[in-house]
């Protein structure tokens, strides 16, 4: 069994803390009972889960998240979805941008709706539980990463006292227009860390220029080594080609394989050995 030990006094970036938050993102895929038991074992005495269904024909069945808290730290983690489902949704020619009510710019309309159903209750819970100035962290994988980033933004714009100490996402898609991405990068400079595993297909969608990633990318190369600093363009392209050629029997399949949360966890474990 993998050992996870949160430093509840953490306030800034570290690889060890990023690994813990990656495991917190993976936990969001589990059922409510499992979430509570594992979060309790990590030292969080207050845990609540959110699961709100969507009405068809919305492409997502529901939005799921949990909040885990103690007297020193609060974590908000969002559940992702299967890469094939999310890829199809994000590749849809009808993908639309919607005005972002809590700030400047535009966001993916589907992400906006997926967050909107849980955000009011989540914000109330944060305001009730953050009574001692605890550090605040948002995390998620895949769709969960997009929702974590947008939730941190909306939470801060609606209640500036709830500026996150860190937002750590894994394999998140692009979520917003360049205007909102720039505003986000300014507000969350030194607090947002977007991890991408080599050819992760979801991290390449929806396509630019309408959609833009937020900054602070942390990149796992084709060998699983974490590159903390921005990779030069040509070196990055060469590394992605190496990743695509790694499986001669299934060229191109690495885009989906690289997206799975277990691939991210394996890379974190290897980099911290």
């Amino acid at each position: 069994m993998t050992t996870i030990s949160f430093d509840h006094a953490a306030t800034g970036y570290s690889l060890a803390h990023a690994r813990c938050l990656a495991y917190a993102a993976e936990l969001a895929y589990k059922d409510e009972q499992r979430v509570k038991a594992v979060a309790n074992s990590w030292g969080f005495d207050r845990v609540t889960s959110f699961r709100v269904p969507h009405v068809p024909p919305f492409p997502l069945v529901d939005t799921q998240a949990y909040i885990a808290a103690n007297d020193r730290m609060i974590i908000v983690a969002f559940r992702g979805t299967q890469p094939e489902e999310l890829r199809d949704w994000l590749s849809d020619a009808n993908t639309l941008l919607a005005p972002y009510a809590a700030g400047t710019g535009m966001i993916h309309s589907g992400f906006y709706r997926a967050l909107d159903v849980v955000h009011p209750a989540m914000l109330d819970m944060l305001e009730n539980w953050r009574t001692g100035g605890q550090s605040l962290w948002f995390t998620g994988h895949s769709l969960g990463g997009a929702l974590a980033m947008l939730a941190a933004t909306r939470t801060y714009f609606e209640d500036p006292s709830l500026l996150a100490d860190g937002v750590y996402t894994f394999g998140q898609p692009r979520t917003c227009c360049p205007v909102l991405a720039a505003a986000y990068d300014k507000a969350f400079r030194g607090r947002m860390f977007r991890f991408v595993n080599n050819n992760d297909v979801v991290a390449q969608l929806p396509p630019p220029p309408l959609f833009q990633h937020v900054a602070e990318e942390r990149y796992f190369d084709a060998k699983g080594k974490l590159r903390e600093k921005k990779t030069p363009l040509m070196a990055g392209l060469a590394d992605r080609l190496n990743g695509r050629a790694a499986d001669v029997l299934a060229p191109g399949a690495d885009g989906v394989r690289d997206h799975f949360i277990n691939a991210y966890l394996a890379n974190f474990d290897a980099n911290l050995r």
Side-chain angles (χ1 to χ4, degrees):
M1 181 176 178
T2 302
T3 301
I4 300 298
S5 181
F6 272 90
D7 175 6
H8 296 134
T11 57
Y13 174 82
S14 74
L15 184 57
H17 190 50
R19 173 178 177 266
C20 287
L21 290 171
Y23 275 91
E26 189 266 344
L27 183 61
Y29 285 94
K30 309 303 182 183
D31 61 59
E32 184 175 350
Q33 185 176 3
R34 178 65 175 168
V35 167
K36 187 176 189 301
V38 173
N40 286 164
S41 75
W42 291 343
F44 296 97
D45 59 323
R46 285 160 283 173
V47 184
T48 190
S49 294
F50 303 87
R51 183 173 184 174
V52 183
H54 294 286
V55 177
F58 193 67
L60 298 178
V61 174
D62 53 30
T63 298
Q64 296 184 47
Y66 71 87
I67 301 177
N70 58 31
D71 291 337
R72 305 188 74 178
M73 177 179 286
I74 299 175
I75 294 172
V76 182
F78 287 85
R79 185 186 187 275
T81 190
Q82 294 301 315
E84 295 87 352
E85 297 172 1
L86 191 56
R87 179 177 58 185
D88 291 343
W89 186 30
L90 297 179
S91 300
D92 192 329
N94 294 317
T95 293
L96 298 175
L97 284 161
Y100 185 50
T104 185
M106 312 272 282
I107 71 171
H108 185 286
S109 58
F111 294 155
Y112 186 91
R113 180 175 173 183
L115 175 62
D116 195 53
V117 297
V118 300
H119 190 267
M122 185 199 76
L123 182 60
D124 285 345
M125 188 67 68
L126 285 176
E127 290 175 333
N128 288 333
W129 280 4
R130 201 188 192 204
T131 56
Q134 299 101 314
S135 62
L136 175 61
W137 309 85
F138 289 79
T139 188
H141 164 256
S142 188
L143 166 70
L147 297 182
M149 177 229 147
L150 293 171
T153 313
R154 182 168 171 179
T155 297
Y156 168 64
F157 285 141
E158 292 185 9
D159 185 346
S161 71
L162 291 173
L163 174 62
D165 291 83
V167 184
Y168 289 60
T169 70
F170 312 92
Q172 78 159 82
R174 296 182 180 92
T175 61
C176 59
C177 74
V179 173
L180 182 54
Y184 184 92
D185 288 338
K186 181 178 180 181
F188 287 84
R189 182 174 291 113
R191 299 171 188 265
M192 171 72 196
F193 300 94
R194 180 175 56 83
F195 290 83
V196 177
N197 183 28
N198 196 233
N199 285 313
D200 185 333
V201 65
V202 172
Q204 302 172 41
L205 297 170
L210 290 179
F211 293 88
Q212 181 170 309
H213 267 309
V214 294
E216 293 296 339
E217 180 182 285
R218 296 291 188 272
Y219 174 71
F220 289 110
D221 66 20
K223 295 182 178 180
K225 180 177 176 57
L226 181 61
R227 300 186 182 184
E228 299 271 11
K229 296 182 179 179
K230 186 174 179 62
T231 304
L233 177 61
M234 296 309 296
L237 289 174
D239 184 68
R240 287 181 168 87
L241 287 173
N242 286 337
R244 291 191 181 99
D247 188 346
V248 296
L249 298 179
D254 61 308
V256 173
R257 184 174 59 245
D258 287 349
H259 179 66
F260 287 111
I261 185 60
N262 285 343
Y264 282 86
L265 299 182
N267 285 340
F268 275 109
D269 290 349
N271 278 269
L272 278 167
R273 286 195 186 107

